[in-house]
Amino acid sequence: MTEATQIHGVLDSHGEKAAELQSVYVYEAPVRIWHWVNAAAIVVLATTGYFIASPLPSTPGEASSQFLMGYIRFAHFSAGYVLAVALLMRIYWAFVGNEHAKQIFYLPVWDRKWLSGVLYEAGWYAFLVKQPKKYIGHNPLGHLVMHLFMLNLAFLVVTGFALYSEGAGRDSWQYKLFGWVFAIWPNSQDVHTWHHLAMWGVILFVIIHIYTAVREDIVSRQSLISSMISGERVFRDEADK
C-alpha cells in the first residue's frame, strides 16, 4: 500500500469497513497476466468460432490453394489450448496467491452483507442509487458475475476439448478426459450448439465488463482499468460515510 492522503468508506469484498486508504495493491502479476492472455485468447476464439459456425462462401480455384478454413480452425484450436492452460494456471494461483486471487472461485452466499451488497450494486448499475460504495476487490455483484464467467469458461474448455476429441480419435487423451460429455449429449451437434451459446455468453460478459470498468473509473472515482496493468486499486476522492 502506498502512503498518501487517506480516504474513508472503503469496503472489503464482504462489505466490512477496511482501513482508511487511498491505494492498495490488489492484483498480483500472475492474475494480471492471466487477464490479458485470457482476453486475447477470447478474441481469437470468438472470431474464429464465428466463422467455424458460419463458414465463408466457397472460393473458386484449386482446393490445395484454398486452406483458409484450415487456418481458421488451427487458430481456434491453438487459442483454445492457450485458454485451457491459462485457466489451469489461474486455478493454481488461487491457492498460492493473495486473498483477492481466491475471491472469484467461491461465493459467500451465507453472508447477509454480501447478499445485500449484490442488490445494492445492482441498484447502482441501474442508476437507482446515488452513491457508489468503494471496494478493495470485486464488489459483490462483480464477484458474482466473475464467478459465473469462470464457470462458463470451464464449460467452454470442457465442451471444446470434447469436440476436438472427435477428430483426434477415441485413443486420444482428449477423448479419455472429455469423452464423457457425449454421454450427456450423444448428438455432437448438441455439444456444438451449447459450446456456441456459451461463447455468446462470454461475448455478452465482455461487453458488460468493459462498460462497467469504464463507468466505475469515471463515476465511482476508483480505478479498475489501470488496476489490471499496475495491480493497484486507487481511490481518487472521499466517499460519503
Side-chain angles (χ1 to χ4, degrees), residues 86-97:
L87 179 60
L88 290 175
M89 294 179 66
R90 180 65 180 86
I91 293 172
Y92 165 76
W93 198 256
F95 289 97
V96 301

Side-chain angles (χ1 to χ4, degrees), residues 17-227:
K17 180 90 175 286
E20 296 175 0
L21 46 83
Q22 186 181 48
S23 63
V24 60
Y25 186 69
V26 177
Y27 301 116
E28 298 166 301
V31 174
R32 304 198 306 274
I33 292 171
W34 168 80
H35 176 275
W36 295 113
V37 169
N38 197 55
I42 285 173
V43 170
V44 175
L45 285 164
T47 304
T48 56
Y50 175 82
F51 287 115
I52 290 172
S54 303
L56 295 167
S58 298
T59 53
E62 179 59 38
S64 61
S65 302
Q66 308 297 336
F67 196 64
L68 180 58
M69 285 304 301
Y71 291 128
I72 289 175
R73 292 178 79 248
F74 175 77
H76 191 79
F77 297 154
S78 299
Y81 273 101
V82 170
L83 185 80
V85 172
L87 179 60
L88 290 175
M89 294 179 66
R90 180 65 180 86
I91 293 172
Y92 165 76
W93 198 256
F95 289 97
V96 301
N98 63 18
E99 61 177 307
H100 303 292
K102 303 173 175 63
Q103 185 183 7
I104 62 176
F105 288 94
Y106 72 95
L107 295 177
V109 293
W110 57 87
D111 189 331
R112 290 185 178 181
K113 287 187 177 180
W114 183 85
L115 292 172
S116 64
V118 171
L119 296 177
Y120 186 93
E121 293 301 318
W124 163 246
Y125 287 121
F127 300 95
L128 297 177
V129 296
K130 294 182 178 180
Q131 294 296 333
K133 293 183 177 180
K134 297 178 184 290
Y135 290 87
I136 296 175
H138 292 290
N139 67 54
L141 183 59
H143 181 181
L144 172 62
V145 173
M146 281 300 301
H147 182 78
L148 295 176
F149 168 73
M150 294 300 288
L151 292 178
N152 193 35
L153 212 59
F155 180 81
L156 279 165
V157 169
V158 170
T159 54
F161 274 108
L163 292 169
Y164 186 88
S165 73
E166 290 187 303
R170 287 179 174 267
D171 294 331
S172 65
W173 66 265
Q174 291 93 345
Y175 189 84
K176 292 175 181 177
L177 288 180
F178 302 101
W180 54 267
V181 171
F182 298 110
I184 301 174
W185 295 291
N187 184 349
S188 66
Q189 183 56 50
D190 292 337
V191 183
H192 276 278
T193 300
W194 284 110
H195 186 75
H196 192 68
L197 288 174
M199 180 51 75
W200 279 110
V202 169
I203 293 172
L204 178 62
F205 164 82
V206 169
I207 294 170
I208 296 173
H209 181 61
I210 293 174
Y211 161 72
T212 55
V214 173
R215 181 180 186 269
E216 289 301 278
D217 244 308
I218 298 171
V219 181
S220 293
R221 306 293 294 162
Q222 52 188 320
S223 66
L224 268 76
I225 299 172
S226 62
S227 294

